Amino acid sequence: MIPRLAQAVAFQRKPVASLIAHERAHGSGFWLPTLIGGRMWVVAAPELAHEVLHAPPGEYLAGRANRRILPVLPSDTVLTLDGDPHQTRRHLLAPLFHGDSLDSLAPIIRQIAADEIARWPIGVSFAVLPRTRVLTLRIAARLLLGIQRPRLVDDLQRHLSQALRPYAMLSAAKRLGRLGPASPQAAARRSRVRFATGVAEVRSARARRPADGPIDALNLLGPIAGQCGDDTRVADELFALLLAAHETTATALAWSLELLARDPGTLSLLAGEADSEDRPHLDAVVAEILRVRPPLVDIVRELAAPARLGHHALAAGTLILIPPPLIHRHRHSSPDTFVANRFLGQRPDPDVWLPFGGGERRCLGASLALLELREVITLVARRFELRPAYSVRENARLHGTALVPGRGAPVIIRPR
């Protein structure tokens, strides 16, 4: 029991180093105790990860697994449903993240980013991560809720940060429910209730959408409220979408600026192509950032029935963890080093590049996240020179399931 607890604490404190050490000791698959999800089977080999992610529908369940590792999530959302209900919800939301909707969002992202970046301090050290969280939440709030009022966005930020507090994340431990109002389960419920109240305020405060105006999630999610107008289901879906859409992109942006602050030559190169239609170095840099610093520690699945994975027989209900930080180290020279031109002129191999997952459950918002990264990095490169606030590079720590910079990615910026 004590060794398992020590391993779980080590994973929580130093997730990437812990995973690498386990892979070196145990190979392509191993058991890993965790504080939130319990005991997981870790898949460390790309071919086994491919087998899981591209298995026939129903063999490996993503929705059930997501509920186990993020117990603050409501059960009826695109992240936590499986099978036909998931596909129906995914189809309902797809117009937000593709086609005309995404194309029309690029200038909005640039404007929001310009407004936020103008507030960043010049010539002094500051942590980037809190700033990118505000930025990406403003973008997500505009896309999902059609709002721009700073007060409403600040309220959403507060509710989401409370939902990811470590105590609320313990709500999967059913025995703690006996604590009643002081339990983590009660804390998680209160967070969702406060968020639902905030959504109701948004709906009453926002202007009526013109018939030819841009769509948002509140428009698309009308059918799931039903004839009785149950706003709770809408609020639950928005809660899950905002957690997914904003925290991971904010983390990726923070890592981007931290890495580019340590590579001024690449930042200058990006500034030089900022006004071009074709930006091949930017595409290569974004792909490499997401390879060397993936924003999530996990892609998870629950095994629906007993199965054999590689040489290992696993029982039904086994929680399987595919960690991008391990998979991304395969088939690359100097895998732990940021090499800005690694993907110049080529696309990453999808078997060893999984920042958005893979298979039929690949992240619905991947295109939006890539658009945000491209637009914000270009804007920063055009305006600023960056340097790191510390000579020692950042280590990752866990925030929920996000691999965030341990110190928040402190940098110093100066006008270019």
Side-chain angles (χ1 to χ4, degrees):
M1 181 65 181
I2 296 299
R4 284 190 185 181
L5 179 60
Q7 290 176 4
V9 171
F11 175 65
Q12 191 71 26
R13 293 182 59 192
K14 295 183 178 180
V16 177
S18 178
L19 287 167
I20 291 173
H22 275 79
E23 182 185 20
R24 286 173 176 164
H26 304 293
S28 62
F30 50 87
W31 289 107
L32 177 71
T34 67
L35 296 178
I36 304 298
R39 198 163 173 247
M40 300 186 187
W41 179 256
V42 179
V43 172
E47 59 274 13
L48 296 182
H50 181 92
E51 183 178 335
V52 172
L53 295 175
H54 297 275
E59 289 190 13
Y60 296 92
L61 304 176
R64 287 176 62 90
N66 285 332
R67 291 200 297 273
R68 289 172 65 177
I69 64 160
L70 274 175
V72 297
L73 285 174
S75 60
D76 182 23
T77 74
V78 72
L79 294 180
T80 50
L81 293 169
D82 285 301
D84 290 341
H86 165 76
Q87 290 298 332
T88 299
R89 188 67 57 82
R90 190 180 180 97
H91 181 74
L92 183 69
L93 292 166
L96 281 173
F97 302 103
H98 300 290
D100 294 341
S101 176
L102 202 60
D103 292 340
S104 66
L105 196 62
I108 296 172
I109 291 173
R110 286 194 290 270
Q111 184 58 59
I112 293 173
D115 290 345
E116 285 299 321
I117 290 171
R119 299 185 178 94
W120 291 3
I122 303 296
V124 296
S125 171
F126 70 99
V128 169
L129 182 59
R131 311 287 180 140
T132 58
R133 281 176 173 154
V134 173
L135 168 56
T136 56
L137 185 60
R138 282 191 62 190
I139 294 169
R142 167 62 183 82
L143 173 66
L144 298 178
L145 302 172
I147 63 169
Q148 300 182 54
R149 293 188 185 183
R151 183 188 66 79
L152 293 174
V153 175
D154 289 346
D155 288 345
L156 291 175
Q157 169 73 39
R158 186 172 66 255
H159 298 324
L160 290 173
S161 63
Q162 289 173 346
L164 284 176
R165 285 178 177 173
Y167 189 63
M169 291 289 289
L170 292 174
S171 55
K174 295 181 179 179
R175 283 184 290 184
L176 294 178
R178 67 186 64 176
L179 296 176
S183 68
Q185 291 86 346
R189 283 194 298 272
R190 286 193 295 269
S191 292
R192 291 203 297 271
V193 168
R194 285 191 291 265
F195 180 82
T197 301
V199 169
E201 290 178 3
V202 166
R203 299 191 75 167
S204 62
R206 74 180 192 153
R208 183 179 297 275
R209 184 179 71 92
D212 59 348
I215 60 171
D216 58 44
L218 283 175
N219 307 131
L220 294 176
L221 290 172
I224 75 167
Q227 293 183 349
C228 60
D230 181 5
D231 282 351
T232 302
R233 296 182 69 193
V234 174
D236 283 350
E237 186 63 79
L238 290 169
F239 181 82
L241 286 172
L242 281 170
L243 277 179
H246 121 87
E247 181 66 30
T248 52
T249 309
T251 299
L253 275 173
W255 280 121
S256 299
L257 300 188
E258 201 271 341
L259 289 168
L260 289 170
R262 299 180 186 280
D263 191 348
T266 294
L267 191 66
S268 296
L269 190 64
L270 297 181
E273 69 175 23
D275 295 320
S276 302
E277 283 288 324
D278 186 29
R279 291 177 279 180
H281 290 94
L282 175 64
D283 294 334
V285 165
V286 168
E288 174 66 352
I289 288 167
L290 292 173
R291 184 200 68 82
V292 75
R293 289 288 185 266
L296 288 176
V297 74
D298 60 340
I299 303 163
V300 289
R301 300 291 187 266
E302 182 182 297
L303 193 53
R308 194 163 193 86
L309 192 57
H311 301 296
H312 309 283
L314 300 174
T318 298
L319 188 57
I320 294 172
L321 167 66
I322 301 171
L326 283 189
I327 302 299
H328 289 186
R329 300 178 76 252
H330 288 258
R331 305 178 193 170
H332 293 293
S333 60
S334 304
D336 299 320
T337 302
F338 173 68
V339 180
N341 63 355
R342 190 186 298 271
F343 296 113
L344 189 61
Q346 61 178 308
R347 292 186 176 183
D349 179 348
D351 281 344
V352 288
W353 193 80
L354 299 171
F356 302 110
E360 65 173 10
R361 295 294 292 242
R362 187 175 186 270
C363 175
L364 183 61
S367 296
L368 173 63
L370 289 170
L371 177 63
E372 289 185 54
L373 287 168
R374 285 172 54 87
E375 294 295 340
V376 177
I377 290 172
T378 297
L379 184 61
V380 171
R382 180 188 284 123
R383 292 191 178 186
F384 299 118
E385 294 178 348
L386 280 71
R387 63 182 179 90
Y390 297 96
S391 58
V392 179
R393 67 178 195 167
E394 285 270 61
N395 288 317
R397 65 176 177 83
L398 280 179
H399 178 70
T401 61
L403 285 167
V404 302
R407 291 187 293 257
V411 300
I412 299 169
I413 64 174
R414 297 188 188 280
R416 185 173 291 280

